[in-house]
Amino acid sequence: MAGLGGGGTSSGRERRWRGLDRLESRNRPPRSLLVALVLASVTLITLDFHGGTDSPVEPARRALGEAFGPVEAATAAAVRPFTAVPTWFRTKGSLSDEIRDLEAENSDLRSQVASAGFEKNRLEEYDGLTQSAENLGQALVPARVVAYASSQTFSKTVTIDAGSSSGIGPDMTVVNNDGLVGRVLRVTRTTATVLLITDPESIVGGRVGSSMEIGFVHGTDDSPAGDELELRLVDDAVVPAKHDTVVTWGSSGGPYEAGVPVGRVTDVYSSLRETSQRAVIEPFVDFSALDVVGVMVPTGTTSDRAVIEADGALR
Amino acid sequence: MTRARLLVAIVAVAIALVLQVSLFPHVAWHGIVPNLCLLVVVGAALTLDAPSAMLLGFTAGVLLDLVPPADHVAGRWALALTVVAFLAARVRQDVKPTAAAVVATVAAASFVGTSIFALSGLFLGDGGSVPHLLEVIAVAVLWDVLLTPFVLPPLLKVFSSLDPRLATT
């Protein structure tokens, strides 16, 4: 076996030729194993594809989540101080630029608030009417994002560091201080997997703030960053106006709580062929910089961490 | 010895997986991160014997499919990384692979692996549009090639020190 290294001399050539036969038998990947493993993969795909939410793969997912969740949380905690480093190196010019932009945005928002009073009142009235019967109080369980699915997987999900021991369960609404983030798909004891609303498979019942029209907000995968949503209204005759705010519609038993801000209408396209209106929504949440999120749980939920109640109290 | 080698390889895959979901998203371009698990599988295929490498590829794929935040149909990365391990084990030369050969193998493996995953998504009806798909594949290959000089040499060293047949060379 000494000749396997392949010397550069002329005699090495001869040895290498002889060595090659043995190498062939040793190195050639066994086809039978390839077939077996490919079949195993295909079986796994079939099982999971047809199983849906109660697929036999789900317990394995959960077990691995239990094992990897704490490791991911620890890694994210270790990495966090370093991700802030780029923000230290900022020039005065960029800071003053940002101040100018923020001032412009501020005055823009002020004028919007001044004109949107009527719509806001109507929205509040409506919410009050439909939900006066039920308990509006929702508590928030704070959590941090510890892992992100890569774009190579073509799905937009994240892992947060709070799970069933914090009172979180599937289908709960996840928000941050800007608006709707997504919903909980599945939980382990210490972590939860969240489907972001920008995922192509995510559908959120949305309501246009000014007209109270309802529709469905889909994630898209066309834009490279993927941070764009699409709104299709149920009533084809209504055209959503630009800069309209879209909030969640909320249904009893459904995954999303009502009245959570989703985004703002930036463009409206009319498709003659499909005779429907398609509006592009810019989400309020910056999905490339997700960190602290809150999971909406029923008030009074027992949790192993501090819970923010509807009135702002910490429990 | 074989068991120890596989154990070390699986630990390497687990570390790669955690870094891939928790560290690299902070430097990702449009959410596309270097596929460290694929790099470990290629490293194993270039040094370990073919059956071990393929088993490792399958295991790494199953982990990528199941560890949160993954939410796609399980088995797709398992399929992709098994094929990657098979191909990488085939192109291995009888001599210690040169740097260029390693980079070329990684590029090919990354292209094949990401493509198989993306195509299986199209087949199951939860992939993206084709231009978006091609863009993701191109950036993923670029990332993997960029990280090769930092990841593969130490990996190859560790794996070949574990392989008694290659330890002498």
Side-chain angles (χ1 to χ4, degrees), chain A residues 23 27 48 72 146 151-152 157, chain B residues 22 30-31 33 68-69 74 92 94:
Chain A
L23 264 169
N27 276 348
D48 198 29
E72 284 174 3
V146 294
S151 287
Q152 282 106 311
T157 50
Chain B
S22 291
H30 287 322
V33 298
R92 162 163 67 174
D94 49 339

Side-chain angles (χ1 to χ4, degrees), chain A residues 14-280:
Chain A
E14 176 101 51
R15 264 190 278 146
R16 216 167 116 179
W17 274 111
R18 248 189 286 122
L20 214 59
D21 285 342
R22 264 176 289 154
L23 264 169
E24 280 292 297
S25 60
R26 178 168 75 87
N27 276 348
R28 171 165 288 172
R31 267 162 213 279
S32 54
L33 184 62
L34 176 74
V35 171
L37 289 179
V38 165
L39 280 182
S41 306
V42 172
T43 311
L44 203 55
I45 292 174
T46 317
L47 276 177
D48 198 29
F49 188 65
H50 290 289
T53 47
D54 52 335
S55 86
V57 185
E58 220 46 44
R61 260 187 219 281
R62 198 192 155 94
L64 279 173
E66 300 281 8
F68 274 85
V71 184
E72 284 174 3
T75 312
V79 163
R80 209 164 278 139
F82 300 101
T83 58
V85 168
T87 58
W88 300 347
F89 303 101
R90 298 188 58 191
T91 60
K92 205 176 153 208
S94 78
L95 287 174
S96 61
D97 276 356
E98 192 174 322
I99 289 177
R100 201 189 53 222
D101 288 350
L102 286 175
E103 274 175 350
E105 199 183 321
N106 238 342
S107 57
D108 195 31
L109 288 174
R110 265 198 210 102
S111 64
Q112 267 188 43
V113 166
S115 64
F118 174 64
E119 284 89 349
K120 193 166 154 259
N121 284 344
R122 245 182 98 183
L123 185 64
E124 275 171 2
E125 207 175 321
Y126 188 86
D127 276 352
L129 273 178
T130 52
Q131 294 184 329
S132 56
E134 55 184 76
N135 183 9
L136 256 179
Q138 283 283 332
L140 278 183
V141 173
R144 298 193 93 140
V145 174
V146 294
Y148 304 75
S150 66
S151 287
Q152 282 106 311
T153 61
F154 300 100
S155 62
K156 299 204 173 67
T157 50
V158 296
T159 305
I160 57 175
D161 63 352
S164 56
S165 65
S166 308
I168 295 174
D171 280 351
M172 282 179 177
T173 311
V174 183
V175 298
N176 74 358
N177 51 7
D178 293 322
L180 183 66
V181 171
R183 69 180 162 94
V184 175
L185 279 176
R186 62 179 73 85
V187 291
T188 68
R189 217 168 42 72
T190 55
T191 62
T193 305
V194 177
L195 181 73
L196 304 182
I197 54 171
T198 47
D199 186 277
E201 284 181 20
S202 158
I203 300 174
V204 184
R207 186 188 291 285
V208 179
S210 65
S211 61
M212 305 302 275
E213 285 295 330
I214 54 173
F216 296 96
V217 179
H218 301 257
T220 60
D221 51 14
D222 293 333
S223 59
D227 287 353
E228 244 176 27
L229 305 171
E230 198 180 283
L231 171 73
R232 281 177 194 277
L233 292 178
V234 172
D235 186 350
D236 296 336
V238 181
V239 183
K242 257 191 179 185
H243 305 305
D244 256 356
T245 300
V246 178
V247 300
T248 53
W249 154 24
S251 52
S252 62
Y256 295 102
E257 298 293 335
V260 182
V262 177
R264 192 184 290 115
V265 177
T266 54
D267 284 301
V268 181
Y269 300 101
S270 297
S271 162
L272 286 174
R273 198 180 53 189
E274 296 171 44
T275 64
S276 65
Q277 313 288 341
R278 190 174 69 87
V280 176

Side-chain angles (χ1 to χ4, degrees), chain A residues 34 38 152 154, chain B residues 35 38 41-42 76-91 103-121 133-134 136-138 140-142 144-145:
Chain A
L34 176 74
V38 165
Q152 282 106 311
F154 300 100
Chain B
N35 197 339
L38 184 134
V41 169
V42 171
R76 287 169 60 193
W77 273 123
L79 178 66
L81 291 190
T82 304
V83 175
V84 159
F86 177 78
L87 293 179
R90 272 197 83 99
V91 296
V103 169
T105 312
V106 166
S110 171
F111 178 77
V112 170
T114 319
S115 302
I116 290 179
F117 184 86
L119 287 177
S120 69
L133 226 129
L134 289 177
V136 168
I137 292 172
V141 171
L142 198 66
D144 291 345
V145 169

